[in-house]
């Protein structure tokens, strides 16, 4: 036995966690006998590897396997363990800390209390069955609840929440994740990687609800369900709140140490009291907080050295994130925000579900996000940390260290990735597998494929995709006549994008960009509005309109003018108004100093020159008089012009005014590829100019002649007859079904006359002639209207929305000084 | 605003600007557009397109660029330079985010007033 060296004094440590555990290891290595250590821990146990709670939850490890320091270790180092004793007070004057069970004097004190999970203050948060995810107790509670058949809701789609969800799902529970933001793990991932992650989790049976704000947790004594702001209710036997953490600073604050968001420390981990140190998640260093272990281990080294009388300084380093869910490959490191002088390199392989993005500034790699294939993560991370000059291998950087020859993005990848049952031809219901079979049976020309399968033989919109399937099956030999791409972000044409959205069941902009191999990270001003339209038209119930992907007029629900003011056009159903409406318009014009009031060519009144910040107020005034937005700005229904018709006119055959009003009330609010205008005339004299509109109705004694595809703008063209019907009801169904056909098939910004010229009037007539098909189109139109037929003015004029229309700040006075 | 050392003006919270969007700050000399990209980067530019004065704050924000709402010129948010075939520059201002608050450099605003 070695003689004991004299001890330097009492070292008290509050918190036996990851950071203090590592610190004690270093301290006992460098200065084994320098201190008498007393270790308090609120948890009734010593240090275990907190990171590994997730494998314990999922059943891949046991608690015993993740203990880092057992009783033998503490005994060997003479640590006085006071586990299950939370420190409640630090008496700095007398240098004593107290738990409920007594005190302990210190010469030096270390605070390592970690963090506390944040609890969102919603009703029901204190019910039994609501847990957080921080320690073994939480983990055991989730294990107990996650029986097969049980339901669990996890609030928070960050690292912890997803590990909790995956762990409970692995035990057979049916789990829903509610996430406030638009995509999962938004702090570590960009939208594309977030989309892939969501897809992987959904494949494991986990439901993911983004844009979900929790309103209340429901239940009498024990949780029963979670209610969201949007009205959705998810049943739950257990609710795990994983919405974030807050440094555990309470005892430090009570002791009047300097505390901001965390306990302030210098680079030696010393607090404002020279005898007290702090490390781990409870500290704040140079405005930074810490939530991952890598920097805490550096702090541990520094503090051990300091306590051993050596000189050391803490410098925060970059951290990398991985999600510990078996089978999910995800990596993010460094800073991947866009920024001044930064450039992106994006690589996507839709077939393998791979996404990689590097952010470069000058000759340095700043950040990396990767999904699906993270083998090169460590290599990228070291280049980020070392600030390696990458100018020499920049072109091939994204392919990683094992790069051999570099592959070009494959234009056929999206079609190659489709499963055999994916529908290529919507008109005739032909799937990819059938086309491949026909080609393999000898149909090697487009005409032969058409003859055998009927694919691309109707409207022709899918021709590009059929050709791509042929190119994939026949190889080099087959040449496609590709349509021009949507924009520089993609090689796909509008038609291909539309068909692939449906064939692949793609329901968000990041999903489309990933699965179709977009070449940019976030698209451009050409593709984003088109994608937004295609998605809302195809998935009215699932897709959420993306306001930021809309042109100014649709985003602001008003037409921008050359001087930056706006015009306001309320609906005037069928061109009919009342004295009360006219008075309200006149009052609004006075109140908001409208410089011009004009009757439009669309039979209604335009208030021109309104300031942006006045828009919500003028809308509210017009709403109060019963008027709604006229959508004079939208790719959607504009006006239904009418004439006076049989109610007043001596020639009128039907109530053209009444039908026009009914049509406008049926169709308003719907979004279409380009604007849609209608006219209804009461007799062939055609005073409503119906035969140069997108859709025209001319009333005759025996019914209604419906014609389509007119134009009177940059081109002038007479409508072509679609059909004739006997009743108003039929007329309305035909017209709504026709608009739905247009909504589902046309490319963005094509007016009806352009689309009909492309697909052929015969094809359109055939679609409309089949009553079952017509009814199905009509029904789909009504479903979409349930979502989109609501007055945007009312929504934005609401008191809590108005602030957004004004300037963010007014510095006119400051700057004038 | 003096040309003093601490010249950063708090103009609002990052959350006040929609992701991939912009808001304006009024100054005595006209509006400054403050942009937030999809990746939470923040930029400040004059809210006036050099082409015909379009409000850039109302354009579509994609990556670190904005497309003018009036005639679709595209500008880099980093440099203020028009992209592609068009020629023109928009003044940029130092702006940063700290603790979720957006800070605009008051010195540069003041200099613009003087100019
Ligand atoms: C206000 C109005 C002129 C007027 O004072 O009467 C008008 C004003 C504008 N028209 Fe129009 N059009 C107006 C009736 C028409 C008509 C006549 C009609 O609807 O019967 C036509 C020809 C019919 C047609 O659409 O085919 C018409 C054909 C156009 C076109 C060419 C469209 C085409 O496909 O060829 C454009 C340009 C475009 O959409 O790309 C256009 C675009 C515009 C825009 C939106 C230009 C723009 O992008 O900023 C103008 C907005 C002014 C504003 O701020 O309000 N406007 N415009 C009319 C509004 C009608 C309404 O109540 O909603
Ligand atoms: C489930 C889970 C998975 C994680 N996965 C990862 C990962 O993959 N990668 C990664 O880098 N990080 C991960 N983390 C984060 C990592 O665990 C923390 O960063 C780390 O544990 C923080 O260490 P610490 O010592 O500061 O705090 P802790 O490890 O939390 O230790 C603090 C201890 O102090 C005790 N305490 C608090 N107040 C008092 C008091 N008044 N008196 C006495 N004792 C007190 C607490 O009971 C606790 O035991 C994960 C965290 C969790 C919960
Ligand atoms: S269309 Fe014929 S019937 Fe109708 S208002 Fe005009 S003139 Fe009269
Ligand atoms: S004013 Fe901006 S492009 Fe014309």
């Amino acid at each position: 036995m070695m003689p004991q060296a004299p001890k330097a004094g009492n070292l008290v440590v509050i918190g036996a966690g990851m950071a203090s555990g590592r610190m004690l290891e270093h301290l006992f290595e460098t200065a084994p006998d320098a201190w008498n250590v007393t270790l308090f821990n609120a948890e009734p146990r010593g240090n275990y590897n907190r990171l590994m709670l997730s494998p314990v939850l999922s059943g891949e490890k046991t608690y015993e396997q993740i203990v880092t320091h057992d009783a033998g270790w503490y005994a060997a180092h003479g640590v006085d363990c006071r586990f299950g004793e939370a420190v409640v007070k630090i008496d700095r004057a007398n240098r004593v800390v107290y738990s409920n069970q007594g005190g302990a004097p210190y010469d030096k004190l270390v605070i390592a209390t970690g963090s506390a999970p944040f609890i969102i203050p919603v009703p029901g948060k204190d019910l039994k069955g609501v847990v957080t995810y921080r320690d073994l107790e939480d983990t055991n509670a989730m294990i107990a609840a996650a029986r097969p058949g049980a339901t669990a809701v996890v609030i928070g789609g960050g690292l912890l929440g997803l590990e909790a969800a995956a762990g409970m799902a692995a035990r057979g529970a049916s789990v829903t994740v509610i996430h406030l933001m638009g995509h999962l793990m938004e702090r570590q991932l960009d939208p594309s990687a977030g989309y892939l992650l969501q897809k992987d989790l959904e494949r494991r049976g986990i439901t993911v609800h983004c844009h979900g704000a929790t309103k209340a947790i429901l239940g009498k004594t024990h949780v029963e369900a979670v209610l969201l702001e949007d009205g959705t209710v998810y049943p739950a036997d257990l609710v795990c709140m994983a919405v974030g953490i807050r440094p555990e600073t309470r005892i430090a604050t009570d002791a009047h140490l300097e505390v901001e968001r965390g306990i302030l420390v210098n680079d030696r981990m010393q607090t404002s009291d020279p005898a007290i140190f702090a490390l781990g998640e409870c500290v704040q260093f140079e405005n930074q907080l810490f939530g991952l272990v890598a920097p805490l281990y550096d702090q541990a080294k520094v503090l051990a050295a300091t306590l051993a009388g050596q000189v050391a300084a803490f410098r925060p380093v970059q951290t990398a994130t991985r999600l510990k869910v078996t089978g999910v490959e995800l990596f993010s490191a460094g800073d991947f925000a866009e920024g001044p002088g930064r450039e992106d390199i994006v690589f996507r392989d839709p077939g393998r579900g791979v996404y990689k993005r590097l952010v470069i500034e000058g000759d340095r790699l700043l950040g990396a996000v990767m999904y699906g294939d993270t083998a090169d993560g460590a290599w990228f991370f070291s280049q980020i940390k070392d600030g390696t000059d990458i100018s020499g291998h920049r072109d091939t950087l994204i392919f990683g260290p094992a790069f051999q020859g570099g592959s070009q993005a494959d234009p056929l990848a999206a079609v190659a990735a489709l499963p055999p049952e994916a529908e290529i031809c919507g008109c005739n219901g032909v799937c990819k597998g059938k086309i491949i079979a026909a080609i393999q049976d000898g149909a090697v020309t487009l005409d032969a494929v058409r003859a055998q399968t009927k694919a691309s033989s109707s409207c022709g919109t899918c021709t590009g995709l059929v050709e791509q399937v042929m190119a994939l099956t026949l190889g080099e030999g087959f040449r496609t006549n590709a349509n021009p791409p949507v924009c520089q972000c993609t090689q796909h044409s509008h038609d291909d994008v539309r068909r692939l959205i449906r064939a692949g069941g793609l329901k968000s902009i990041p999903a489309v960009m990933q699965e179709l191999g977009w070449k940019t990270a976030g698209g451009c001003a050409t593709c984003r509005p088109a994608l937004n339209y295609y998605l809302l038209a195809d998935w009215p119930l699932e897709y959420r309109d993306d306001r930021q992907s809309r042109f100014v007029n649709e985003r602001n629900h008003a037409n921008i003018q050359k001087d930056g003011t706006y015009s306001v056009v309320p609906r005037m159903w069928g061109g009919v108004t009342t004295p009360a409406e006219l008075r309200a318009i006149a009052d609004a014009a006075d109140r908001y100093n409208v410089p011009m009031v004009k009757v439009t060519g669309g039979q209604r009144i335009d208030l021109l020159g309104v300031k942006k910040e006045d828009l919500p107020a003028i809308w509210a005034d017009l709403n109060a008089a019963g008027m709604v937005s006229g959508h004079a700005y939208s790719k959607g229904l504009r006006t239904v012009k009418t004439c006076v018709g049989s109610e007043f006119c001596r020639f009128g055959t039907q109530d053209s005014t009444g039908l026009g009003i009914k049509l406008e009330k049926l169709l308003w609010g719907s979004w279409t590829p380009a604007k849609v205008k209608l006219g209804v005339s009461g007799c062939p004299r055609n005073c409503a100019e119906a035969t140069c509109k997108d859709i025209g109705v001319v009333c005759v004694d025996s019914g209604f002649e419906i014609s389509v595809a007119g134009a009177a703008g940059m081109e002038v063209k007479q409508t072509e007859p679609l059909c004739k019907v006997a009743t108003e009801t039929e007329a309305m169904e035909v017209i709504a079904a026709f608009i739905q056909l247009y909504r589902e098939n046309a490319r963005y910004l094509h007016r009806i006359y352009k689309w009909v010229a492309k697909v052929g009037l015969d094809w359109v007539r055939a679609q409309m002639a089949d009553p079952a098909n017509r009814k199905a189109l009509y029904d789909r139109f009504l479903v979409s209207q349930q979502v989109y037929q609501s007055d945007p003015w009312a929504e934005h004029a609401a008191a809590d929305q108005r602030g957004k229309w004004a300037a963010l700040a007014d510095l006119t006075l400051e700057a004038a000084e | 605003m003096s040309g003093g050392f601490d010249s950063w003006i708090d103009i609002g919270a990052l959350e006040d600007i929609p992701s991939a969007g912009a808001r304006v700050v009024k100054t005595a000399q006209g509006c400054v557009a403050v942009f937030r990209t999809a990746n939470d980067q923040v930029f400040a530019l004059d809210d006036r397109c050099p082409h015909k004065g379009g409000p850039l704050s109302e354009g579509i924000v994609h990556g670190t660029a904005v497309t003018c709402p009036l005639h679709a010129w595209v500008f880099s948010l980093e440099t203020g330079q028009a992209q592609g075939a068009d020629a023109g520059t928009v003044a940029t201002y130092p702006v940063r985010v700290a603790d979720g608050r957006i800070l605009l450099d008051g010195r540069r605003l003041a200099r613009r007033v003087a100019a």
Side-chain angles (χ1 to χ4, degrees):
Chain A
M1 263 249 138
M2 296 268 289
Q4 290 267 305
K7 297 268 185 182
N10 292 325
L11 177 68
V12 170
V13 180
I14 309 176
M18 305 280 300
S20 68
R22 186 56 74 93
M23 187 280 288
L24 289 174
E25 285 174 15
H26 289 304
L27 185 63
F28 293 143
E29 264 164 39
T30 38
D33 302 309
W35 297 97
N36 292 313
V37 177
T38 304
L39 179 58
F40 284 91
N41 201 22
E43 287 182 64
R45 60 185 70 83
N47 192 14
Y48 56 91
N49 188 340
R50 195 173 300 284
L51 280 60
M52 290 294 137
L53 285 174
S54 292
V56 171
L57 176 59
S58 64
E60 290 159 81
K61 279 201 177 353
T62 62
Y63 169 68
E64 289 68 32
Q65 288 173 304
I66 70 165
V67 170
T68 49
H69 300 156
D70 57 15
W73 187 88
Y74 290 117
H77 295 97
V79 177
D80 177 12
C81 297
R82 301 187 51 174
F83 297 157
E85 280 188 56
V87 169
V88 292
K89 187 181 165 196
I90 302 169
D91 176 352
R92 284 167 58 191
N94 299 304
R95 297 200 174 177
V96 184
V97 301
Y98 293 96
S99 80
N100 288 334
Q101 294 166 44
Y106 66 85
D107 296 301
K108 291 275 190 288
L109 177 66
V110 172
I111 306 178
T113 45
S115 354
F118 189 75
I119 311 263
I120 41 175
V122 290
K125 69 181 167 46
D126 299 321
L127 284 171
K128 272 212 270 237
V130 180
V131 301
T132 55
Y133 191 17
R134 184 73 194 170
D135 57 25
L136 185 65
E137 277 69 29
D138 298 332
T139 311
N140 285 336
M142 284 190 270
I143 291 173
R147 299 169 316 274
T151 53
V153 168
V154 175
I155 303 175
L159 196 97
L160 282 188
L162 297 183
E163 289 187 7
M168 289 193 280
R171 289 185 178 266
S174 102
V175 183
T176 301
V177 175
I178 292 160
H179 190 52
L180 189 59
M181 308 306 284
H183 69 271
L184 296 173
M185 287 181 69
E186 79 286 347
R187 283 169 50 201
Q188 291 90 5
L189 301 181
D190 61 9
S192 292
Y195 154 74
L196 285 171
L197 173 59
Q198 176 166 347
K199 209 169 94 168
D200 261 350
L201 295 174
E202 286 169 350
R203 214 174 282 137
R204 288 155 197 260
I206 297 173
T207 305
V208 177
H209 187 130
C210 288
H211 295 291
T214 306
K215 189 169 183 185
I217 298 173
L218 311 177
K220 290 196 189 74
T221 54
H222 194 279
V223 299
E224 290 165 23
V226 175
L227 168 69
L228 306 193
E229 294 281 358
D230 66 13
T232 319
V233 175
Y234 290 106
D237 302 315
L238 175 129
V239 172
C240 175
M241 272 205 206
V243 291
I245 52 172
R246 248 199 317 227
E248 178 54 80
T249 57
R250 283 173 296 181
I251 46 172
T253 309
D254 292 348
H256 301 291
L257 293 174
E258 277 181 31
V259 175
E260 283 176 9
R261 288 175 300 153
I263 305 169
L264 297 186
V265 292
N266 63 18
D267 64 1
R268 305 174 60 223
M269 310 317 296
Q270 195 167 36
T271 68
S272 54
D273 178 337
I276 304 182
F277 299 82
L279 84 165
E281 283 183 344
C282 58
V283 305
Q284 175 178 340
F285 173 75
E286 290 184 346
N287 232 339
Q288 260 192 65
L289 299 176
F290 305 88
L292 294 172
V293 286
L296 308 190
Y297 285 167
D298 291 341
Q299 295 177 357
K301 247 184 239 163
V302 171
L303 181 53
T306 306
L307 291 171
Q310 300 166 355
V311 180
F314 172 63
R315 285 271 141 254
V317 292
Q318 304 265 20
T319 50
T321 310
R322 280 182 194 273
L323 184 71
K324 300 190 300 301
V325 172
T326 311
V328 171
E329 294 280 313
L330 166 170
F331 177 88
S332 91
D335 180 357
F336 55 87
E338 288 150 357
R342 291 182 184 180
E343 287 168 74
D344 270 342
I345 302 179
V346 176
F347 172 86
R348 308 188 196 236
D349 182 341
R352 291 191 300 139
V354 170
Y355 170 75
K356 300 184 189 182
R357 176 160 157 250
L358 303 179
V359 178
I360 291 175
E361 185 169 51
D363 296 332
R364 313 273 167 227
L365 182 60
L366 284 193
V369 187
M370 29 193 53
Y371 198 94
D373 172 4
T374 56
D376 301 333
W379 184 72
F380 287 125
F381 187 37
S382 73
Q383 309 225 350
I384 295 170
K385 275 196 300 194
D386 302 347
T388 312
D389 182 344
I390 51 134
S391 50
H393 54 297
R394 183 190 167 109
D395 290 347
T396 57
L397 184 66
I398 194 128
F399 301 112
F403 165 71
Q404 299 301 324
S407 57
Q408 271 297 307
D410 177 4
L412 299 175
V415 178
L418 288 178
E421 62 276 11
E423 189 183 82
I424 300 285
C425 173
C427 299
N428 300 302
V430 186
C431 66
K432 179 179 162 189
K434 193 164 167 196
I435 298 173
I436 294 177
I439 301 167
Q440 286 165 344
D441 281 353
V444 294
T445 64
L446 186 60
D447 282 339
V449 170
R450 278 185 182 143
Q452 282 198 25
T453 65
K454 293 264 185 300
S456 132
S457 63
S458 295
C459 77
T461 313
C462 64
T463 307
L465 289 189
V466 173
E467 287 182 331
Q468 291 180 44
V469 174
M470 296 182 73
L472 281 166
T473 318
L474 296 171
E476 298 289 308
F478 189 83
R479 286 267 201 82
T480 62
N481 298 313
N483 280 322
V486 173
C487 62
Q488 289 179 351
C489 303
T490 176
Q491 65 249 346
H492 293 293
S493 68
H494 280 277
D495 288 342
D496 290 1
V497 170
R498 281 219 87 162
R499 295 257 12 118
L500 288 167
I501 284 175
R502 248 169 270 161
L506 309 177
K507 295 184 182 167
S508 67
I509 289 179
V512 175
M513 291 184 174
Q514 172 60 28
E515 301 297 349
L516 307 193
W518 238 245
K519 291 179 238 168
T520 51
C524 71
T526 301
C527 59
R528 287 241 308 277
L531 293 183
N532 187 53
Y533 169 71
Y534 294 152
L535 289 162
L536 73 82
D538 281 351
W539 319 109
L541 301 179
E542 288 117 316
Y543 180 68
R544 264 177 77 105
D545 184 35
D546 178 20
R547 198 158 172 248
Q548 298 310 129
S549 291
R550 288 185 176 271
F551 286 122
V552 54
N553 291 355
E554 292 188 349
R555 194 179 337 112
N556 287 344
H557 297 286
N559 274 308
I560 196 162
Q561 309 292 304
K562 59 192 263 188
D563 64 352
T565 63
Y566 291 84
S567 70
V568 171
V569 185
R571 259 192 208 288
M572 226 165 239
W573 308 99
V576 176
T577 185
T578 63
E581 281 185 359
L582 291 172
R583 255 180 228 112
I585 290 173
D587 288 345
D590 276 345
R591 192 165 310 132
Y592 302 99
N593 299 314
V594 171
M596 164 129 115
V597 182
K598 183 183 179 303
V599 175
T600 75
Q603 297 189 338
R604 48 198 191 167
I605 292 175
D606 195 348
L607 298 156
L608 293 127
V610 180
K611 288 200 260 333
K612 184 181 177 189
E613 57 262 40
D614 286 339
L615 287 174
I618 194 168
W619 293 340
D621 287 4
L622 295 170
N623 277 165
M627 285 175 272
V628 298
S629 165
H631 294 86
Y633 47 79
S634 76
K635 310 285 173 244
L637 180 81
R638 296 286 178 89
T639 54
V640 181
K641 281 172 75 164
T642 68
C643 73
V644 285
S646 59
E647 293 294 294
F648 291 91
C649 176
R650 64 197 169 110
F651 295 118
T653 60
Q654 310 276 357
D655 179 10
S656 52
T657 323
L659 177 59
I661 293 172
K662 283 183 197 147
L663 281 167
E664 191 165 354
K665 293 210 160 156
L666 174 67
L667 303 173
W668 75 281
S670 64
W671 299 101
T672 45
K675 57 189 167 190
V676 172
K677 299 174 177 181
L678 277 71
V680 185
S681 290
C683 85
R685 288 167 192 76
N686 194 16
C687 302
E689 299 167 318
T691 51
C692 63
K693 295 286 176 273
D694 297 285
I695 301 172
V697 181
V698 174
C699 304
V700 290
D701 282 324
S702 54
F704 306 85
E705 287 172 348
I706 301 172
S707 61
V708 297
M714 291 175 277
E715 271 185 55
V716 181
K717 184 179 161 292
Q718 194 179 337
T719 51
E720 297 171 67
L722 180 68
C723 61
K724 189 181 155 191
V725 295
T727 65
E728 275 194 349
T729 318
E730 282 172 279
M732 288 171 58
E733 184 181 305
V734 166
I735 288 169
F738 172 77
I739 288 181
Q740 183 65 12
L741 191 68
Y742 170 57
R743 299 180 75 232
E744 290 178 2
N745 289 282
R747 76 165 68 158
Y748 190 60
L749 299 186
H750 266 188
R751 290 280 296 260
I752 283 179
Y753 75 93
K754 283 203 177 147
W755 166 66
V756 170
K758 196 169 135 255
V759 298
L761 188 63
D762 288 342
W763 176 79
V764 173
R765 282 195 184 130
Q767 295 288 313
M768 304 298 298
D770 172 3
N773 193 42
R774 195 167 91 190
K775 180 73 170 44
L777 284 164
Y778 180 64
D779 289 345
R780 289 203 292 280
F781 180 76
L782 295 185
V783 166
S784 168
Q785 286 295 76
Q786 282 171 21
V787 178
Y788 286 105
Q789 194 172 67
S790 75
D791 178 27
W793 286 0
E795 181 191 326
H796 290 283
D800 60 334
Q801 296 295 316
R802 288 197 185 186
K804 295 181 188 161
W805 296 82
L808 180 60
D810 187 346
L811 305 180
T812 36
L813 294 175
E814 302 216 30
E817 265 175 41
Chain B
M1 193 66 222
S2 74
F5 183 66
D6 189 13
S7 60
W8 294 100
I9 306 174
D10 184 334
I11 54 168
L14 183 64
E15 264 61 57
D16 293 338
I17 305 180
S19 179
R23 294 281 297 275
V24 299
V25 171
K26 286 187 178 173
T27 79
Q29 304 297 301
C31 287
V32 171
V34 184
F35 294 88
R36 172 181 175 192
T37 69
N39 288 320
D40 285 351
Q41 207 73 16
V42 171
F43 300 97
L45 282 77
D46 267 338
D47 193 26
R48 251 189 86 77
C49 177
H51 177 222
K52 290 190 174 171
L56 295 175
S57 57
E58 300 292 359
I60 289 185
V61 179
H62 42 101
T64 47
V66 62
T67 298
C68 177
L70 292 197
H71 315 98
W73 286 24
V74 178
F75 296 89
S76 157
L77 296 177
E78 303 153 12
T79 62
Q81 292 286 339
Q83 310 285 288
D86 303 315
T89 308
V90 192
T92 61
Y93 300 93
V95 65
R96 65 187 178 94
V97 178
D99 274 348
R101 305 296 302 178
I102 305 168
L103 306 174
L104 190 64
D105 187 353
R107 256 178 313 180
R108 281 290 303 280
L109 289 182
R111 203 173 310 154
R112 184 169 70 152
V113 175

